Amino acid sequence: MNTVDIFIIGGGINGAAIAADAAGRGLSVVLCEKGDLASATSSASTKLIHGGLRYLELYEFGLVRDALEEREILMKKAPHLITPLKFILPHKKYLRPAWLMRVALFLYDHLTEENSLPFSKSINLKKEIYGKSLNDTFSKGFSYYDCFTDDARLTILNALAARNNGANILTRYEFLSAHSHKKKWKIEFKNTFTGKIYHLFSKVLINASGAWVNEIQKKIDPKKIIPYKLVKGSHIVVPKLFEGDFAYILQNKDKRVVFAIPYQDDWTLIGTTDLNFSGNLCDKIKITPDEENYLCEIINKYFKKSISVKDIIWSYSGVRCLQDEDKKNLSEISRNYKIYLDRENHPPLLTIVGGKITTHRHLAEEAVNLLKPFISGLKAPWTASSPLPSGDFPNRDFEEFLREFKYRFPWLPEKILNRYARNYGTHSYLILKNVKNMQDLGEDFTNGLYEKELEYLTRYEWALTVDDIIWRRTKMGLVLSEAAKRQISEWIERCWVLKVILSS
């Protein structure tokens, strides 16, 4: 039976990042994910790489500082996927006084030594474009910068980094059990497609299953329960509310904030909510009517253009696993992470609770550092200075890459070209290998989605279903018809038949 250094349970952002860090330090790694990569919470965030301005109000200065430092690192690691975005904060004096906002923004600008983004400033909403779409009651506001990303693709890139360094990424494999055997973990897991059961040994076991942390813990040691709190967050997408390449952060009387963010050219992304979750994690997590109304009502308090639930063209929800803090207001629970190291009566077990997508790299580095006493020959940390796969641009200059990309493929429509560059970076060349014209892109699934892209996603990025392709690897689900989705499903089925024939 094979032995590996680390077995990771969970293919979200934390599990993928730990796999990448560990594999790059010379460790043998297996990651086991029951579904698709980023198929739960890690594709259900507000898609921000940010320090978290509102956490300053909770005196979480360390968390904000660490997150702002990570923001700088991540912008360099994947500049095509993590892009600066200006945020406009309309001022409501009865919620928070202007002086408090100025102090908070000053801290936000200066908490870290390195800040490559423009500093915050006060703005006149009556005179500048930012107030054009807002209700006339707003005259004063503030602007500051953070970053926007695609959370699911960021998870995929970490998994690619892990695989590039030798890790074995197993999607659609369910963890069944683990127990101590001769100072190692004996692990059992199965392929959810075939039902075939596998076994291997591992020196270290890592539970990075997010909201499923205690479901997994029960399969390891049911006598020990991990303290945590589950909080549900939902988002809605509506037709574009405003023109401009900036976003809004909107204060509410419950002390929460809601973001309104330009999304995929034609839409506005709005979120998030915070609700205690006590349901069944195996059920599809959906937005409730109350959440829909909550988000619509906040938008209508700020914007001239009102919306209702009828305007929602897509919504998504996720369950966050947070630290177990007794807070009346769920938004006050720390978003920092905690790593539990347990070696009582068994080999080392690391369990991850909490965390933000912004700090995934830092979390992974800290988790692997904790393994030094248990695994010899561990190399030095490396991820802070290395680009993520597809982010390896000459001179780390995405704009230079984009100019060269447009020059090499002048026949490719502008919208497709820009989407490829942003989604796939230098891996766009893998999609377009030996492609000289539109006909070479193969079957047309409409709206700029062609067979060559599907071939890339199924070959290199673990995509196995329609949802893997149109919601997590791309956001083409927003524009594709049901007929197009059936067409993709038929293509996938044909590919699987071919693979079976060729492998027999």
Side-chain angles (χ1 to χ4, degrees):
M1 190 182 298
N2 291 335
T3 298
V4 297
D5 292 318
I6 301 175
F7 188 93
I8 301 169
I9 307 160
I13 187 66
N14 290 336
I18 293 170
D21 187 294
R25 295 211 225 177
L27 304 185
S28 55
V29 178
V30 171
L31 182 148
C32 172
E33 165 55 48
K34 182 179 179 180
D36 182 27
L37 296 169
S39 57
T41 311
S42 293
S43 59
S45 76
T46 313
K47 311 185 190 310
L48 297 180
I49 300 297
H50 66 144
L53 180 62
R54 71 179 181 85
Y55 303 138
L56 292 176
E57 194 172 41
L58 305 175
Y59 306 107
E60 294 244 31
F61 300 114
L63 171 61
V64 176
R65 183 187 62 250
D66 290 346
L68 290 172
E69 289 175 353
E70 287 302 301
R71 186 186 69 182
E72 289 293 318
I73 291 171
L74 294 176
M75 280 193 289
K76 295 182 178 72
K77 288 175 67 67
H80 59 308
L81 197 65
I82 296 166
T83 55
L85 180 62
K86 179 184 281 190
F87 287 81
I88 306 302
L89 196 165
H91 178 54
K92 278 190 173 184
K93 61 182 179 181
Y94 66 88
L95 292 178
R96 293 172 177 90
W99 68 265
L100 180 62
M101 297 310 306
R102 284 194 292 267
V103 169
L105 288 165
F106 179 85
L107 285 173
Y108 206 65
D109 291 336
H110 296 91
L111 265 178
T112 57
E113 292 183 6
E114 184 181 3
N115 180 8
S116 62
L117 298 179
F119 282 174
S120 61
K121 64 179 183 178
S122 298
I123 54 175
N124 187 327
L125 295 173
K126 295 292 186 183
K127 295 182 178 180
E128 299 190 52
I129 188 174
Y130 314 116
K132 186 177 180 181
S133 58
L134 296 175
N135 291 326
D136 293 334
T137 53
F138 295 100
S139 59
K140 181 186 292 186
F142 306 92
S143 70
Y144 71 96
Y145 274 82
D146 263 320
C147 291
F148 190 69
T149 191
D150 183 317
D151 47 9
R153 290 213 57 76
L154 187 58
T155 305
I156 299 296
L157 295 193
N158 275 275
L160 286 169
R163 187 175 65 188
N164 290 348
N165 283 291
N168 194 359
I169 307 297
L170 302 176
T171 63
R172 271 74 181 198
Y173 279 78
E174 181 181 2
F175 169 78
L176 297 177
S177 67
H179 64 270
S180 179
H181 181 80
K182 296 182 179 179
K183 297 183 179 181
K184 295 177 183 177
W185 287 106
K186 185 176 181 181
I187 299 166
E188 183 177 68
F189 56 103
K190 73 173 181 180
N191 184 310
T192 59
F193 284 156
T194 66
K196 185 176 179 180
I197 293 177
Y198 298 83
H199 299 88
L200 58 71
F201 290 113
S202 180
K203 298 174 185 176
V204 175
L205 183 61
I206 297 181
N207 181 354
S209 58
W212 287 262
V213 62
N214 271 333
E215 298 298 317
I216 297 301
Q217 177 65 25
K218 290 174 185 176
K219 298 179 180 181
I220 302 169
D221 184 357
K223 295 179 182 179
K224 294 182 180 179
I225 300 298
I226 306 298
Y228 70 100
K229 188 179 290 288
L230 296 183
V231 176
K232 177 189 172 189
S234 297
H235 297 75
I236 59 174
V237 174
V238 300
K240 187 185 291 187
L241 280 173
F242 54 90
E243 297 294 334
D245 54 353
F246 51 85
Y248 290 93
I249 175 172
L250 311 174
Q251 303 175 83
N252 195 42
K253 62 183 179 182
D254 61 4
K255 293 189 176 182
R256 298 201 65 261
V257 295
V258 166
F259 294 95
I261 304 169
Y263 194 60
Q264 300 290 317
D265 298 328
D266 300 318
W267 322 101
T268 299
L269 172 65
I270 300 165
T272 180
T273 59
D274 271 323
L275 293 175
N276 265 316
F277 182 83
S278 58
N280 189 340
L281 288 167
C282 293
D283 295 338
K284 182 174 176 57
I285 311 300
K286 295 181 180 179
I287 193 169
T288 65
D290 284 347
E291 288 177 290
E292 292 177 333
N293 288 324
Y294 173 84
L295 294 174
C296 289
E297 285 171 7
I298 292 177
I299 290 298
N300 294 341
K301 290 175 183 176
Y302 280 87
F303 289 90
K304 291 175 181 175
K305 185 178 181 180
S306 63
I307 62 171
S308 71
V309 294
K310 294 179 181 178
D311 295 301
I312 299 172
I313 59 101
W314 182 49
S315 65
Y316 61 87
S317 303
V319 177
R320 296 170 290 232
C321 177
L322 305 180
Q323 296 187 46
D324 188 23
E325 296 179 348
D326 186 18
K327 303 281 188 180
K328 287 185 178 180
N329 191 332
L330 295 177
S331 65
E332 294 180 0
I333 297 176
S334 176
R335 264 50 177 180
N336 212 341
Y337 60 81
K338 190 167 185 177
I339 304 174
Y340 294 89
L341 172 58
D342 182 6
R343 51 183 300 195
E344 185 180 353
N345 301 320
H346 55 62
L349 167 65
L350 259 64
T351 303
I352 313 298
V353 172
K356 288 158 48 73
I357 190 169
T358 304
T359 53
H360 71 274
R361 190 210 65 84
H362 188 273
L363 180 156
E365 188 174 278
E366 184 177 333
V368 179
N369 284 342
L370 289 172
L371 304 183
K372 288 179 182 178
F374 314 110
I375 300 177
S376 60
L378 187 66
K379 295 179 182 177
W382 64 283
T383 56
S385 58
S386 178
L388 282 166
S390 77
D392 51 336
F393 304 112
N395 305 315
R396 294 197 170 184
D397 189 337
F398 172 71
E399 296 302 326
E400 180 182 332
F401 161 79
L402 187 58
R403 287 191 292 272
E404 172 65 20
F405 190 51
K406 289 180 178 180
Y407 177 79
R408 288 185 60 176
F409 301 97
W411 48 266
L412 198 61
E414 183 88 0
K415 194 167 185 177
I416 297 177
L417 192 149
N418 286 328
R419 186 172 68 80
Y420 281 7
R422 285 288 176 192
N423 257 31
Y424 307 113
T426 57
H427 284 192
S428 300
Y429 293 126
L430 293 175
I431 298 173
L432 296 170
K433 186 177 181 180
N434 300 322
V435 174
K436 297 180 175 60
N437 51 52
M438 295 299 294
Q439 288 70 37
D440 289 344
L441 288 172
E443 190 173 347
D444 181 1
F445 300 98
T446 75
N447 289 279
L449 186 64
Y450 288 86
E451 186 173 10
K452 283 292 182 181
E453 186 173 357
L454 267 61
E455 288 179 357
Y456 165 80
L457 293 173
T458 53
R459 181 176 181 183
Y460 293 100
E461 293 195 0
W462 301 277
L464 294 173
T465 71
V466 174
D467 280 357
D468 294 354
I469 291 168
I470 68 172
W471 291 120
R472 288 181 284 277
R473 306 309 186 278
T474 74
K475 293 298 179 288
M476 297 300 289
L478 288 166
V479 295
L480 291 176
S481 66
E482 291 303 315
K485 294 172 187 177
R486 286 194 297 272
Q487 189 181 350
I488 294 169
S489 181
E490 291 166 0
W491 182 90
I492 292 171
E493 289 177 9
R494 290 200 306 272
C495 285
W496 277 115
V497 169
L498 286 174
K499 286 179 180 179
V500 170
I501 293 172
L502 291 172
S503 62
S504 61

